[in-house]
Amino acid sequence: MRPIASKLLAKTCVGGSHLNPATAALLLSLCLGFPPSMATCPPYCLCASDIISCSGCNLSALPSDLPGYATRLDLSHNALTVLPVDWISRPFERLATLILSRNSVSQIEVNTFTVTPHLLHLDLSSNQLTVLNSSIFTGLKELKELLLFGNQIIQINPGAFSDLLSLQRLYLSGNRLTAFPLGLYWEPGGPRNLTFLDLSYNKLSKVPVQSLLSLTRQGGIYLQENPLACDCALIALLEYWMWKQYRPLVDFRSEYPCRDNLEPECSQPVVSNMPLEAQTYQVEPGKWLRVPCPGLASQAQEEQWVFWVTPKTVVNSSTNDSSAHLTVSPNGTLEIRGALIEDSGVYGCVAARGRQYDPKESVEVNVVVGNLSTASASGLPHSSGAEHFNTAFTTLASCVVSIILVLLYLYLTPCRCRENRGSRGCGGRAITLCSDPREVESGQRRSNGKRVAFLEPQAEHSDIGGPKTPAMNLGHVTTEGILKNGSRTVGQTFTDPAHMA
């Protein structure tokens, strides 16, 4: 390798002239033994460790001789117009961030990003994209953040976001979209964990309210500065979001429509001077349950928009399916037909009430199917004074029983020896040790300092002719067994302190 470098050096160094930085870096890599396929930092770029910045170089084509060790590549503020498939000669296995903002990109070919399989952040903002074709982001299975704001996107074709399984944040602000990209959530191969969607500053005039009520439970959707039609469904949605303190609305409330007045046709009869309090409805499995919408009068208008956010889905009053499990009557009452255990949970009624909500008020109700203990086991928040009392009583009774058992274990003698020495009532297996040895002779027992020891049992009929072992020796008491007052195994000789003198 070194002779090759010497020849190159001899050919390029003439008359004491210096090599350009790229040639010098190439010669250095050859001398150090790196493979010749290892590209060097282009002279018009800035390379720092694993960062390559070619920003503001007026590039009209992507450089193909970039080093493969980069984790961050900045190609912003150039004149790029097309992202071709072969824009790089080798895969960027370590590239995590690719910045292509502030260019004139209007076309992205399919499979362009297959050479960056581990990309996490892709910035295509402030370009000239108008249509997002199908499968243009193929290969970006690990991408988490995609920036497309500041383009001219008017159409998103089906499958445009396929393969973006890990996408969490998507910025589509400042485009020309007229329809909400609902397929982003349900198309096969699309994002599964999308928690942030920015659609602000587009041309949306209508949004799918029922779908938004379900989607916004998972993450934030920003819709400010869109020419939204201020209909009854949108008013109900905005009121519900304000009550929930939904951050995309609270942070940009002045940039949403329907701020000041409520449309006359959306005014619903409400229960006057009655605060909205959380209520609980209980029903047996298999029965029917009717739940009125909190705050709405029973004589509500027939053509109103009322949505119910249930634990599993969202239903509205415009759907008239008599065979459905959950239905909403024209006056906003929710009807559960043939209640199931899994129907237990929190239900929210979304309607245009035309009022400001107090933080303590609630437009949600609790539905319990079955007994209250079943609801508690399923996670439904419920408090019961009787249940707390039973738990406390059971705990107290357990403590009392435990104390009694401990006292019985410590102070109850397992075998009561009689004063009659001729009788072998205890069989020589248990003796009572007292603080005063005279109490043993007299057969008296005192509660002070009483200790019990268990001795090794002796055979009753063995060695009949031999001398019998006395049951107790006041000088030395030899025990083999378990000392009841002590908690350790005794295999030693105990000496009475009174006889040690």
Side-chain angles (χ1 to χ4, degrees), residues 19-37:
L19 295 173
N20 61 67
T23 306
L26 176 60
L27 292 177
L28 180 60
S29 64
L30 292 174
C31 293
L32 294 177
F34 290 108
S37 59

Side-chain angles (χ1 to χ4, degrees), residues 245-265:
Q245 289 296 291
Y246 187 56
R247 300 313 307 177
L249 176 61
V250 174
D251 294 341
F252 300 94
R253 183 66 184 96
S254 60
E255 301 177 18
Y256 276 83
C258 317
R259 295 189 302 268
D260 303 324
N261 51 5
L262 187 66
E263 295 295 327
E265 61 271 13

Side-chain angles (χ1 to χ4, degrees), residues 12 73 80 88 92 107 110 117 122 166 244 311 361 366 368 386 396 421 437 448 477 481 497:
T12 52
L73 176 59
L80 304 175
I88 192 70
F92 267 108
Q107 181 182 357
V110 179
L122 177 58
S166 303
K244 296 283 286 186
E361 292 184 310
N366 294 329
V368 179
L396 179 60
R421 297 178 180 271
N448 245 352
V477 180

Side-chain angles (χ1 to χ4, degrees), residues 154-187:
I154 59 175
Q155 182 178 350
I156 299 177
N157 291 332
F161 298 103
S162 61
D163 230 15
L164 299 180
L165 303 178
S166 303
L167 188 64
Q168 297 177 0
R169 303 175 69 88
L170 176 59
Y171 295 81
L172 287 168
S173 174
N175 285 281
R176 300 180 180 179
L177 294 173
T178 58
F180 188 91
L182 195 57
L184 177 67
Y185 293 91
W186 56 265
E187 287 180 354

